[in-house]
Amino acid sequence: MKLKKIIIILFALFFLAVTLKAEEPQRGNCILYNLEGGEVRLSDFKGKPLLLWFWTTWCPYCREAIPDLNNVYPELKSEGIELLAVNVDETKEKISRFIKHYPIDFNILQDKGARCVFSYGVIGVPTYILVDKNGKVRFKQNYFPQDKYKQLLTN
């Protein structure tokens, strides 16, 4: 009887581990929304490297990052790297009020329901994720790798 319970528990743990196994996110899994309400899929950027910047309006570190990202955006754009500001589950109205005081020069997208956040395993904000042109995550941290982002995307 004891052996039977152990086998059942081991089977349950195995099943749980298999179902919770974190798979590398795919661009097509994320549906985001621009501030006009239009749907944007990360798969729309197939073949392009991406810098996903997950942020919120209440995050002081996110506010501090905006001028630096605005400054680096023209360089990223000239190198064919798309920079997307992915707001984590806040309303369009709240974001619109925020950007009047903290202008963002690049694409702002809403992650309604934080589905993309969960897909990429984002734990806190800000989080910077570099995704190569093949959709593979090359970097995920709470800081932007200013000096090595090109190297990370070409490896």
Side-chain angles (χ1 to χ4, degrees):
M1 187 69 168
K2 202 173 194 180
L3 181 61
K4 189 175 181 179
K5 283 183 181 179
I6 291 172
I7 291 172
I8 290 172
I9 290 171
L10 288 174
F11 179 75
L13 288 174
F14 173 76
F15 179 76
L16 183 64
V18 168
T19 58
L20 292 179
K21 180 183 175 198
E23 294 181 20
E24 186 163 314
Q26 298 296 313
R27 290 184 181 187
N29 292 347
C30 290
I31 300 173
L32 304 164
Y33 299 88
N34 62 32
L35 295 183
E36 291 77 41
E39 194 175 277
V40 177
R41 294 177 182 268
L42 290 185
S43 61
D44 296 342
F45 299 95
K46 186 177 181 180
K48 277 189 121 175
L50 297 175
L51 169 56
L52 303 174
W53 177 58
F54 291 89
W55 67 287
T56 61
T57 61
W58 52 262
C59 167
Y61 301 107
C62 299
R63 283 186 215 128
E64 289 176 13
I66 292 170
D68 292 336
L69 289 170
N70 282 339
N71 286 336
V72 77
Y73 176 59
E75 182 180 339
L76 293 170
K77 190 174 181 176
S78 73
E79 294 168 353
I81 302 167
E82 192 66 46
L83 172 54
L84 303 175
V86 182
N87 180 272
V88 181
D89 204 23
E90 293 182 301
T91 65
K92 177 177 87 171
E93 294 75 24
K94 189 169 191 174
I95 297 167
S96 296
R97 283 192 308 270
F98 177 83
I99 61 176
K100 287 179 185 173
H101 301 286
Y102 300 94
I104 295 176
D105 297 340
F106 41 94
N107 291 324
I108 300 170
L109 301 172
Q110 291 177 274
D111 184 13
K112 296 179 181 179
R115 289 182 181 97
C116 196
V117 164
F118 293 123
S119 172
Y120 278 95
V122 173
I123 294 173
V125 289
T127 295
Y128 300 80
I129 299 178
L130 285 171
V131 182
D132 70 15
K133 64 183 179 181
N134 299 314
K136 184 173 181 177
V137 173
R138 296 295 186 165
F139 178 86
K140 181 171 95 173
Q141 286 295 330
N142 297 105
Y143 65 90
F144 177 60
Q146 182 79 34
D147 298 332
K148 62 179 184 173
Y149 72 88
K150 292 177 197 175
Q151 178 185 358
L152 289 165
L153 287 172
T154 57
N155 284 338

